[in-house]
Amino acid sequence: MKILIVEDEPKTGSYLKQGLGEANFNVDLADNGLDGLHMALTDTYDLVILDVMLPGINGWQVLQGIRRRGLEMPVLFLTARDEVADRVKGLELGADDYLVKPFAFSELLARVRSLLRRGGKTKESEFLKAADLELDLIRRRVSRSGRKIELTAKEFSLLELLLRRQGEVLPRSLIASQVWDMNFDSDTNVIEVAIRRLRAKIDDDFDHKLIHTIRGMGYRLEVAE
Ligand code: CA
């Protein structure tokens, strides 16, 4: 799940980015309204966290731009101003929730999860599954046969990609661009290493292997017959 944060205060922005990253979300950060709106319209996000007072165009205008384009992902407003008038304005413009600064991170995380659960336009399932492996997109948890598995944020993204495209052979170049946001460099073995670590966690202790290497092509997650 991908979240866009539009926040001009560097401290708050990096605090949010780090916290949500540690909760296994993919997070992009924009520090002004124009960049934020541009990113919201050109990339695909499951949720947007918007500060109200921003340089360039403000949070209200970013929200208007998003809704005008017909995008229905949930939007959570962060505002230092807790006046009733602001809340009414935001609701009219199509905000889904508010958080008044300063806030506790746990509170933000709870709101984020609740908004993602309610869902925006994409009513996708909260879970991705393959055999007895289950990935919980909202709580960012993974289990196999009911046993909880700890993954790093990258491992989680990698597994999410493999599960979303179950049965397909995914070339290393595609994995590199989707999970690492980088162009494939044949000298790097970062993907092999990550696949090995992921296998150690989700496959090694189980008879039924899910991640398959397709020599010279890439990797495929598949539930064998
Ligand atoms: Ca601000």
Side-chain angles (χ1 to χ4, degrees):
M1 293 240 168
K2 209 163 170 187
I3 297 177
L4 173 65
I5 302 168
V6 190
E7 167 63 79
D8 61 314
E9 290 157 358
K11 256 186 168 175
T12 312
S14 58
Y15 167 71
L16 289 174
K17 187 173 183 186
Q18 188 186 343
L20 290 168
E22 280 166 8
N24 283 335
F25 290 102
N26 281 332
V27 185
D28 284 344
L29 175 63
D31 65 2
N32 68 79
L34 278 174
D35 284 350
L37 179 59
H38 178 76
M39 288 161 81
L41 298 183
T42 50
D43 209 331
T44 306
Y45 295 98
D46 299 289
L47 177 89
V48 179
I49 298 175
L50 262 181
D51 185 27
V52 175
M53 299 304 287
L54 290 166
I57 57 174
N58 66 31
W60 310 125
Q61 292 167 306
V62 175
L63 175 62
Q64 276 181 307
I66 289 173
R67 295 299 185 232
R68 207 179 288 139
R69 190 65 78 82
L71 296 172
E72 294 172 12
M73 76 286 245
V75 171
L76 169 68
F77 259 107
L78 300 180
T79 174
R81 305 179 301 171
D82 56 346
E83 289 92 349
V84 176
D86 276 354
R87 295 182 181 231
V88 172
K89 185 174 179 181
L91 285 175
E92 282 172 355
L93 293 174
D96 298 279
D97 203 357
Y98 285 87
L99 211 48
V100 176
K101 293 181 187 177
F103 52 84
F105 186 76
S106 57
E107 172 69 14
L108 175 93
L109 196 55
R111 300 282 186 95
V112 163
R113 286 184 168 144
S114 146
L115 284 171
L116 287 172
R117 210 170 281 129
R118 261 189 266 160
K121 199 176 185 177
T122 51
K123 283 275 179 281
E124 70 171 354
S125 161
E126 287 178 30
F127 299 97
L128 296 173
K129 290 178 188 175
D132 53 356
L133 176 73
E134 189 175 278
L135 183 148
D136 182 335
L137 288 163
I138 306 289
R139 287 171 207 83
R140 316 303 283 176
R141 285 181 197 150
V142 174
S143 66
R144 186 152 183 198
S145 282
R147 212 165 84 196
K148 202 178 166 215
I149 295 169
E150 295 289 345
L151 297 183
T152 65
K154 284 289 179 225
E155 289 164 355
F156 191 95
S157 300
L158 176 59
L159 183 59
E160 181 178 342
L161 176 67
L162 287 164
L163 277 165
R164 283 190 190 280
R165 307 197 41 180
Q166 232 174 106
E168 280 179 59
V169 180
L170 304 182
R172 288 180 182 82
S173 56
L174 181 131
I175 295 174
S177 67
Q178 297 270 308
V179 179
W180 278 268
D181 223 357
M182 66 178 192
N183 292 320
F184 183 57
D185 169 1
S186 55
D187 290 336
T188 179
N189 66 345
V190 58
I191 292 157
E192 279 97 306
V193 171
I195 289 275
R196 197 184 313 138
R197 292 208 175 118
L198 186 58
R199 272 187 170 136
K201 292 180 179 180
I202 71 158
D203 266 348
D204 281 5
D205 293 346
F206 299 87
D207 291 336
H208 185 174
K209 309 299 180 198
L210 295 170
I211 299 174
H212 306 274
T213 303
I214 315 301
R215 196 184 283 259
M217 293 180 73
Y219 301 97
R220 175 169 64 205
L221 190 146
E222 192 173 45
V223 181
E225 304 291 299

